[in-house]
Amino acid sequence: MTIVERTQVFLLPDLGEGLSEAEIVEWRVAVGDVVTVDQSVVEVETAKAVVDVPCPYAGRVVTLHGAAGEVRPVGQPLITIAPLDGGDEPAGHATYREEERAGSGNVLIGYGTGHGNAARRRRRPRLAVAPEPTDAALADAGETGGTAATAGSDRAVAALVPGPTALVISPIVRRLAREHGVDLGTVRGTGPGGVIRRADVEAALTVPAARLAAVPDPQVASAAVGDGDGDVIVPLTGVRKVIADKLSRSRREIPEVTIWVDVDATGLLETRAAINAATPDAPVSILALLARICLSGLRRFPQLNARVDTEAQHIVQSAGVHLGIAAQTDRGLLVPVLRDAQRLTTAELAAELAATTAAARAGSLPPARLTGGTFTLNNYGVFGVDGSTPIINHPEAALLGVGRIVDKPWVVDGQLAVRKVTQLSLTFDHRVCDGGVAGGFLRHVADCVERPALLIAAV
């Protein structure tokens, strides 16, 4: 048997629920490289996350199917591996895993493969240095949401490259700049050490077209820049397309209703301060307390922890609460899910919320953590707004929105006082319940916010 006949073609695996394709961000290997079982060979971006894909075969890379920026469908060839010369393989590795022989399919790093020594840690993308800045004006930077861990890595990378060069550590940022014709040398990085983040590139897109660098590819130029009036056309692709499709489907299929109420959150803030004073090593956020209150409400009103199965023509009330938390990230609005959140203590909720939202903003959550929610909590008050009519995260049946907490005049025991007031809004699927259930849930949440002792009495 020849080597050609013995080559193994690794197909792009199913990367998560409802995902049919992925875009190649960066190859970790090149033709001729020797790879081992479970070695990460490519970084891809799906509609839900950026993930490293491990190869289940060992040998020498023969073919890379697709280039950076190319979209590959699930089940299509990704990489071809041939045995090493003479048929030898790296010591301690089989050509492919027993799971592959059994037809169990390929898995992603971190999902469990049975090899104790196989590489599982996500490899940091290689540093790309853009050309020296030109004389063009620098783009104003937008806000960023990086975590402390990300900032630390940014500082380490920035220290390696002196001078005024543009620093880019994310292949997604490079691709975004390339697609829209943004010269990274004209972009001021707002990350530590001047590292350019995605928000910086997006901010640069808002400047007049005359300030954009020339784009070598005319097709790219026509896709990124509109007419001579300075309009910028952003392709509806990737995460933005998925968000648009899902929100449109929600509005098409779900007869939603939004109700709201203003509440005095002074007691909730005082309760949080008391908890944190008693447990300074395990601080609790307002979001964690609101999550705890929602869980209490869903225990009383399980009709809202549900979804409508239109094909089977029935309503499915979930046994567990898989709590979705709306999080604004550089990649768009994501809703990471805390599975079986009702089993967590308040302190565990706080820790899990902090870790999950940080991972979502860093782009390190696996696709499975972004699906399967049964109820969503959305704190849009962080954007400085009082209220909203949020769209339900399909196929869920309800979403609670929380506005900013501000000082307002409030009547307490017949006397006017200044209190911490916020607005709660509940959007619900009218197919799963009527106004009595929805109003009862929202009133329970409001009462617990105003009098946290009710929450303690209910748990």
Side-chain angles (χ1 to χ4, degrees):
M1 182 180 294
T2 64
I3 291 180
V4 174
E5 293 171 336
R6 296 177 56 194
T7 57
Q8 299 285 352
V9 179
F10 175 42
L11 308 181
L12 179 65
D14 183 357
L15 300 173
E17 177 184 345
L19 299 177
S20 60
E21 62 185 20
E23 180 177 334
I24 297 173
V25 175
E26 182 180 28
W27 284 103
R28 304 297 198 196
V29 296
V31 173
D33 287 354
V34 175
V35 298
T36 58
V37 171
D38 252 1
Q39 178 178 334
S40 175
V41 294
V42 65
E43 183 184 59
V44 300
E45 180 179 13
T46 71
K48 297 177 179 178
V50 177
V51 295
D52 275 325
V53 179
C55 179
Y57 308 125
R60 192 178 304 278
V61 178
V62 175
T63 307
L64 302 179
H65 300 278
E70 181 177 335
V71 176
R72 301 292 294 174
V74 169
Q76 292 299 307
L78 189 62
I79 188 172
T80 299
I81 305 294
L84 299 178
D85 295 341
D88 295 331
E89 297 174 353
H93 293 280
T95 301
Y96 51 88
R97 298 190 304 270
E98 290 299 327
E99 295 97 310
E100 296 303 319
R101 293 191 178 98
S104 64
N106 304 304
V107 295
L108 297 180
I109 289 178
Y111 283 55
T113 61
H115 286 276
N117 296 326
R120 301 182 190 275
R121 295 179 60 190
R122 175 173 174 150
R123 297 172 60 186
R124 184 179 299 170
R126 291 188 292 270
L127 176 67
V129 181
E132 293 286 338
T134 65
D135 293 333
L138 296 178
D140 293 332
E143 292 184 358
T144 60
T147 63
T150 304
S153 62
D154 289 349
R155 286 192 293 270
V157 172
L160 297 177
V161 184
T165 54
L167 301 180
V168 186
I169 64 172
S170 170
I172 298 176
V173 172
R174 294 197 301 271
R175 176 171 53 79
L176 181 66
R178 182 176 65 252
E179 288 178 351
H180 298 293
V182 176
D183 182 358
L184 291 172
T186 68
V187 177
R188 183 178 62 203
T190 60
V195 171
I196 296 176
R197 301 180 185 271
R198 180 169 185 159
D200 301 326
V201 176
E202 291 174 343
L205 294 176
T206 64
V207 303
R211 294 175 63 182
L212 292 176
V215 183
D217 187 345
Q219 294 181 347
V220 175
S222 63
V225 182
D227 55 27
D229 295 333
D231 294 341
V232 175
I233 299 175
V234 180
L236 196 60
T237 60
V239 174
R240 192 76 260 162
K241 182 178 186 301
V242 172
I243 293 174
D245 292 343
K246 192 161 188 176
L247 294 180
S248 297
R249 182 179 182 183
S250 179
R251 275 290 165 87
R252 285 196 308 268
E253 296 185 8
I254 300 178
E256 61 185 21
V257 178
T258 299
I259 57 178
W260 58 89
V261 62
D262 289 341
V263 297
D264 178 4
T266 305
L268 186 66
L269 293 175
E270 292 173 348
T271 299
R272 180 206 178 200
I275 292 174
N276 290 344
T279 58
D281 294 334
V284 171
S285 64
I286 287 294
L287 186 63
L289 293 179
L290 290 170
R292 171 57 61 203
I293 293 172
C294 285
L295 293 171
S296 174
L298 292 173
R299 186 170 60 251
R300 288 194 174 194
F301 301 94
Q303 300 94 325
L304 294 172
N305 189 49
R307 60 182 173 84
V308 176
D309 188 331
T310 54
E311 293 185 1
Q313 286 296 295
H314 60 222
I315 298 172
V316 180
Q317 289 187 12
S318 299
V321 180
H322 307 315
L323 184 64
I325 302 296
Q328 189 66 44
T329 74
D330 289 345
R331 300 179 63 241
L333 180 64
L334 301 180
V335 186
V337 176
L338 278 63
R339 302 196 179 280
D340 292 313
Q342 79 282 356
R343 298 180 180 178
L344 302 176
T345 66
T346 301
E348 290 171 341
L349 265 176
E352 189 66 20
L353 282 170
T356 299
T357 53
R361 293 189 177 107
S364 59
L365 281 179
R369 289 294 309 277
L370 297 169
T371 59
T374 60
F375 184 91
T376 293
L377 175 60
N378 185 2
N379 179 21
Y380 44 72
V382 296
F383 302 117
V385 299
D386 296 324
S388 172
T389 55
I391 300 177
I392 295 174
N393 185 25
H394 184 278
E396 298 171 16
L399 180 152
L400 181 74
V402 184
R404 63 175 179 162
I405 301 177
V406 295
D407 290 336
K408 285 188 177 181
W410 197 262
V411 176
V412 180
D413 297 329
Q415 300 295 321
L416 191 63
V418 176
R419 307 288 283 182
K420 301 291 186 181
V421 178
T422 186
Q423 184 182 95
L424 304 176
S425 58
L426 176 71
T427 298
F428 68 97
D429 186 339
H430 218 317
R431 296 173 299 179
V432 304
C433 68
D434 295 324
V437 170
F441 172 85
L442 184 59
R443 191 63 255 170
H444 174 76
V445 171
D447 290 344
C448 289
V449 169
E450 293 187 334
R451 293 178 290 166
L454 293 177
L455 175 63
I456 299 175
V459 296

